[in-house]
Amino acid sequence: MSRINGFVGRRDFLKFASVIGIATTAFGDNFWNPEQTAIADIHPSKPNPVSPNEAIIRLLDGNQRFIEQKRKYPDQSLEHLRLVAKAQYPFAAILGCADSRVPAEIVFDQGLGDLFVVRVAGNVVSDTVIGSLEYSTIVLGSQLIVVLGHKRCGAVAEAIKNETLPGRIGLIIEGIKPSVERIKLRTGDNIQDAVIANIQYQTEKLQENSTILAKSLSEGKLKIVSACYDVDTGKVNIIN
């Protein structure tokens, strides 16, 4: 397996991951040892990943620029496009809602290659989402994951209504309902309370359903935070 600066290369990682998947099926969870894989695939010109706290500062500073309409539009030049065409090293990963009003790169004033963004209605955690974020962490080297929900989320509103929905839309809503049930026990059907509860629920689910992310968290190599975007003001607030 080839290595770059001591880290596993992407192509070999994917081959290795397919073998791991087969072996895990055959031998169970005890076969998988996260210590056998690298944390990141680091570019020679950028050997050190951005720390979680620094990544949060970058995001919130960018969001403040967005709110004040003082955007810098960083990392969007033709030169940077050509640079990241060779390899990507995002400093943070975002699990956000697919809502068209919440594009992460715009609201955080970031550019090409800065963020690894996974978007799905209701920012719902699934196996596919977990796999994508594991990749951003152990292959691309991102040390921060932000679970980003937003005010007046339509998917959360549908979960509160608890009505039958056509096609596979209901699969998304089923992933939100446990968080809605939590909030009903405390405050009723308040949509904003339910939005916050869903963000927190999906954050917990992400941490509890990935041994890879859990290990990185325990070693201090990863931070996962919850945040909520206000569609009226453009502000992102970190949720405790």
Side-chain angles (χ1 to χ4, degrees):
M1 187 176 296
S2 65
R3 290 175 177 265
I4 302 174
N5 288 346
F7 294 93
V8 180
R10 285 185 187 79
R11 188 173 300 173
D12 287 325
F13 170 82
L14 293 175
K15 291 179 182 177
F16 181 60
S18 66
V19 174
I20 288 295
I22 295 171
T24 301
T25 300
F27 300 107
D29 292 339
N30 289 334
F31 178 87
W32 172 251
N33 179 5
E35 292 180 353
Q36 294 175 351
T37 63
I39 296 170
D41 179 5
I42 304 299
H43 194 285
S45 65
K46 188 180 180 182
N48 298 312
V50 177
S51 71
N53 290 338
E54 174 61 26
I56 292 173
I57 291 171
R58 287 193 189 185
L59 291 175
L60 294 183
D61 284 349
N63 180 241
Q64 190 62 35
R65 294 195 302 269
F66 170 72
I67 295 168
E68 296 175 355
Q69 293 297 289
K70 296 179 180 179
R71 285 172 284 180
K72 294 182 178 179
Y73 303 100
D75 298 333
Q76 297 180 33
S77 66
L78 181 59
E79 180 183 3
H80 191 76
L81 181 150
R82 290 169 177 165
L83 176 64
V84 297
K86 300 174 184 177
Q88 60 166 323
Y89 304 97
F91 71 83
I94 311 290
L95 168 57
C97 181
D99 192 293
S100 62
R101 299 166 294 179
V102 198
E105 287 87 353
I106 294 178
V107 302
F108 287 117
D109 191 27
Q110 301 300 321
L112 298 169
D114 291 334
L115 303 178
F116 186 92
V117 182
V118 180
R119 296 179 68 182
V120 61
N123 38 277
V124 172
V125 170
S126 65
D127 288 344
T128 303
V129 166
I130 291 172
S132 296
L133 294 173
E134 288 177 341
Y135 181 84
S136 74
T137 300
I138 65 172
V139 178
L140 303 182
S142 301
Q143 295 193 0
L144 174 70
I145 297 174
V146 179
V147 180
L148 181 65
H150 66 93
K151 187 177 178 180
R152 294 203 299 275
C153 179
V156 173
E158 291 296 335
I160 291 174
K161 291 178 185 177
N162 197 27
E163 298 174 353
T164 301
L165 295 166
R168 300 188 181 183
I169 301 174
L171 294 177
I172 296 291
I173 306 309
E174 288 300 318
I176 299 173
K177 282 183 179 180
S179 66
V180 172
E181 292 302 318
R182 285 184 182 183
I183 206 66
K184 280 183 177 180
L185 296 175
R186 301 198 301 269
T187 64
D189 290 348
N190 183 291
I191 177 64
Q192 186 57 19
D193 288 339
V195 164
I196 299 300
N198 180 56
I199 296 169
Q200 294 172 326
Y201 172 74
Q202 303 302 335
T203 302
E204 293 170 9
K205 188 175 179 182
L206 183 60
Q207 297 178 61
E208 293 170 356
N209 288 272
S210 170
T211 55
I212 291 175
L213 298 182
K215 184 174 188 297
S216 293
L217 284 165
S218 67
E219 294 176 345
K221 297 172 181 176
L222 174 70
K223 180 176 285 188
I224 302 178
V225 300
S226 305
C228 186
Y229 176 76
D230 190 327
V231 294
D232 294 311
T233 67
K235 185 175 179 58
V236 173
N237 290 298
I238 302 297
I239 301 169
N240 295 325

